[in-house]
Amino acid sequence: MGEGFPILSVLVFLPLAGALLIALLPGQRVHWPAVAVRVLPGDQQASAKWIALAFAFATLVIALVLFVLFDRAGSGFQFTDTFLWVSAQDVGFDVSYAFGVDGLSMPLVLLTGLLTTIAVLISWRINVRPKEYFAWLLVLETSVLGVFTSLDLIFFFIFWELELLPMFFLINVWGSGRRSYSAMKFVLFTFFGSAFMLVGFLVMGVAAGTFDMREIQESALAGAVLPVPAIFAFIFLAFGIKLPVVPVHTWLPDAHTDAPTAASVMLAGVLLKMGGYGILRLLFTLMPETAAAADVALAILAAVSIIYGAVITVRQTDLKRLVAYSSVSHMGFVLLGVAGLGVVGMSGAAMQLVTHGLITGMLFVVVGMIYDRTHTRQISAMRGLAHYLPLLSAMLVFAGLAGLGLPALAGFVSEVTVFLGAFGRHEPQTAVALIGVLLAAGYVLWALQRSVFGPRDERWRELQDVRAWWEFLPLGALVSLIVLLGVYPSVVLDVFELGVRPIAEGIAVVQPDVVESEALEVARLGRGG
């Protein structure tokens, strides 16, 4: 399916085309006493953001069409676009230009298109170098889409590294606080992990004679220059940093806190998901035996990340930093579900990638809107906001309740599915992780009580609530999707199950003692018993 028209190539590179078009917009040179700078006249500033919105929305529409046309009865990769880029006859191994989506990547592609469009909308009033700003947002979208659709390790790595450039500039130029420090810390952490990942990729590709993910098998790596467990560890380090897991998580709170709102939305909504996606797509698919042998260690690491992240979150006084640390805890659920080694746990882990992207993305959107009005993120300074910003306060409460796993909202579905999939194999770690849910309720409710509720504060009487269309649209879309996935999760969960089932079956071949819980059918939420 999709063998004729290269629809995935269009999807991946359309945002990049938009970025190039924005870069070609003419500027107007203004001379100051010591310097000459190029600025955009007013109409060109409007052109930059409208071009960004048009290309981001067009990408979202293509992703939505692919999601609708995706064959739920099929298997393997769909809409593939492949040709041989480097032949083994020349260098001893193949490198393919290869794109494709399956049940694991398709929802993440759609999530990327949605959150990029939202990131453009919430940046509508940006007036500092808007041309570069919107161009970097679109380049970031291309890099993330490339990661989620690449079927060749070399192209996967290229897109993985490309993401660093736009995120660095978005934080360093348009951020706040210690923006240069946070941007550089983000780059150094990612570079450190990428160096090990590249070694692992090269060893795998040379040993297998190809970098095509569809052709590499663990059996072909027996003669590699490094033992398979070492290759697994090298690649896991890169994905663990991006997820992130404790103790390689410290870059995340700084990057989130100092990044502009749109960059925080993209970072929490899709960039962290690259780590969880990579673990499932590469480690558990290409090295199932080694992955199965590491399940206990992964479950312990997940439980530590969940509890440590939650405990640190309770101590935060900055609302944006609180949301950032909560991501460390919630991403631990992804690793716990993966460690369950079965269809249920892996489906829950994949679902957590999407639900966390929507919920935390919404939290950063609302916190950013509140900060634009109050010019503070200190929780203690926001008391009484609900009297003057009722809609924004309601949106913050809604997103907070979704984040703590309130039933009928999206977060509840993914967490319950993770617990059902992991409990049968890792009872102690799952029991510890459940404490993280209680802590999440504590820090969310406490933060809400200290910020938006309380007596009136006359400092906020001049504040204006949500009025602009570019604020209503993102909030309305996120609320609708969080409710939809909470009430009818199978619209996405069925697609994820289609993608993770081959991975779980590959694990079961090398690990026969992997037995699914009898709760499998019940865990397929939205379909009845």
Side-chain angles (χ1 to χ4, degrees):
M1 188 175 186
E3 294 288 352
F5 185 74
I7 186 63
L8 282 185
S9 293
V10 174
L11 174 77
V12 171
F13 293 108
L14 185 61
L16 183 60
L20 294 175
L21 182 58
I22 292 174
L24 294 175
L25 288 174
Q28 177 182 356
R29 188 169 294 277
V30 176
H31 292 275
W32 288 352
V35 296
V37 296
R38 184 173 293 276
V39 299
L40 288 173
D43 58 338
Q44 297 296 347
Q45 290 184 26
S47 297
K49 59 188 178 185
W50 279 109
I51 290 173
L53 180 60
F55 277 83
F57 184 71
T59 305
L60 172 60
V61 170
I62 294 174
L64 183 60
V65 170
L66 292 180
F67 185 80
V68 172
L69 296 178
F70 188 81
D71 184 7
R72 272 80 171 162
S75 61
F77 292 97
Q78 302 179 28
F79 311 111
T80 53
D81 182 15
T82 305
F83 66 83
L84 188 62
W85 192 47
V86 176
S87 172
Q89 296 179 352
D90 301 325
V91 294
F93 51 79
D94 287 336
V95 178
S96 299
Y97 174 95
F99 293 107
V101 291
D102 64 351
L104 176 60
S105 55
M106 187 67 255
L108 296 175
V109 167
L110 183 58
L111 177 69
T112 303
L114 172 69
L115 292 183
T116 304
T117 304
I118 288 175
V120 173
L121 286 172
I122 62 177
S123 306
W124 206 249
R125 291 196 301 182
I126 191 86
N127 53 18
V128 178
R129 299 167 64 176
K131 177 177 171 180
E132 295 97 324
Y133 178 88
F134 288 110
W136 284 128
L137 271 181
L138 294 180
V139 173
L140 181 62
E141 182 177 20
T142 282
S143 64
V144 176
L145 289 172
V147 168
F148 289 147
T149 57
S150 291
L151 302 182
D152 186 275
L153 295 179
I154 296 298
F155 276 88
F156 182 97
F157 182 79
I158 290 173
F159 285 111
W160 182 277
E161 292 296 286
L162 177 62
E163 163 265 324
L164 288 176
L165 190 62
M167 185 55 69
F168 173 81
F169 283 109
L170 286 170
I171 298 174
N172 190 52
V173 177
W174 292 275
S176 59
R178 299 189 303 170
R179 57 190 182 185
S180 297
Y181 167 81
S182 298
M184 185 57 66
K185 188 174 183 180
F186 164 74
V187 169
L188 291 177
F189 266 76
T190 307
F191 262 141
F192 178 76
S194 297
F196 285 89
M197 181 170 70
L198 180 59
V199 172
F201 282 3
L202 292 176
V203 170
M204 291 172 65
V206 171
T210 180
F211 287 92
D212 194 316
M213 301 176 191
R214 296 165 294 182
E215 299 180 14
I216 297 176
Q217 301 294 329
E218 187 166 5
S219 58
L221 304 179
V225 296
L226 290 176
V228 176
I231 300 173
F232 182 95
F234 278 20
I235 299 175
F236 178 79
L237 177 61
F239 295 151
I241 290 174
K242 185 70 75 177
L243 193 58
V245 297
V246 175
V248 290
H249 67 288
T250 57
W251 64 270
L252 179 65
D254 291 323
H256 267 317
T257 303
D258 297 330
T261 300
S264 292
V265 171
M266 293 296 290
L267 182 58
V270 292
L271 266 66
L272 303 188
K273 286 35 181 192
M274 292 161 54
Y277 172 78
I279 290 172
L280 283 167
R281 169 65 70 225
L282 299 182
L283 298 182
F284 277 69
T285 302
L286 306 185
M287 293 174 277
E289 186 172 355
T290 304
D295 68 324
V296 175
L298 294 179
I300 293 173
L301 188 59
V304 170
S305 295
I306 292 169
I307 297 301
Y308 179 82
V311 170
I312 296 298
T313 304
V314 173
R315 302 178 59 238
Q316 301 308 306
T317 58
D318 182 301
L319 190 56
K320 195 174 184 182
R321 200 169 183 86
L322 181 146
V323 179
Y325 267 112
S326 73
S327 294
V328 176
S329 181
H330 283 101
M331 286 295 94
F333 291 113
V334 175
L335 198 58
L336 181 63
V338 168
L341 303 182
V343 174
V344 176
M346 290 184 183
S347 296
M351 191 70 176
Q352 176 74 352
L353 296 177
V354 169
T355 59
H356 178 269
L358 294 173
I359 295 169
T360 307
M362 182 175 178
L363 281 168
F364 278 117
V365 168
V366 177
V367 171
M369 290 180 180
I370 291 176
Y371 178 72
D372 287 342
R373 290 160 168 81
T374 64
H375 305 294
T376 181
R377 294 193 302 257
Q378 291 301 309
I379 296 174
S380 59
M382 295 181 183
R383 183 177 297 273
L385 278 179
H387 296 286
Y388 305 99
L389 301 176
L391 183 55
L392 268 181
S393 299
M395 292 296 98
L396 183 62
V397 171
F398 174 85
L401 295 178
L404 63 82
L406 188 71
L409 298 180
F412 174 78
V413 176
S414 54
E415 291 181 8
V416 166
T417 311
V418 165
F419 290 141
L420 288 173
F423 186 76
R425 190 168 183 84
H426 304 292
E427 291 185 13
Q429 294 92 327
T430 306
V432 170
L434 283 169
I435 301 175
V437 177
L438 301 177
L439 291 174
Y443 63 68
V444 167
L445 295 176
W446 192 32
L448 292 175
Q449 187 271 331
R450 289 183 295 160
S451 57
V452 298
F453 297 113
R456 292 176 179 270
D457 190 330
E458 291 302 311
R459 290 181 301 165
W460 312 131
R461 67 177 182 273
E462 301 297 330
L463 298 183
Q464 294 185 346
D465 210 352
V466 177
R467 294 185 178 182
W469 64 271
W470 44 266
E471 292 180 320
F472 275 111
L473 282 179
L475 293 175
L478 290 169
V479 168
S480 300
L481 289 172
I482 290 170
V483 172
L484 174 65
L485 294 185
V487 175
Y488 187 60
S490 62
V491 67
V492 170
L493 197 56
D494 284 354
V495 179
F496 274 134
E497 184 181 331
L498 185 66
V500 303
R501 183 169 291 280
I503 302 174
E505 290 174 348
I507 297 265
V509 170
V510 299
Q511 189 74 286
D513 65 324
V514 176
V515 179
E516 289 284 2
S517 166
E518 291 182 357
L520 175 58
E521 293 301 324
V522 177
R524 293 173 185 166
L525 300 174
R527 297 195 228 166

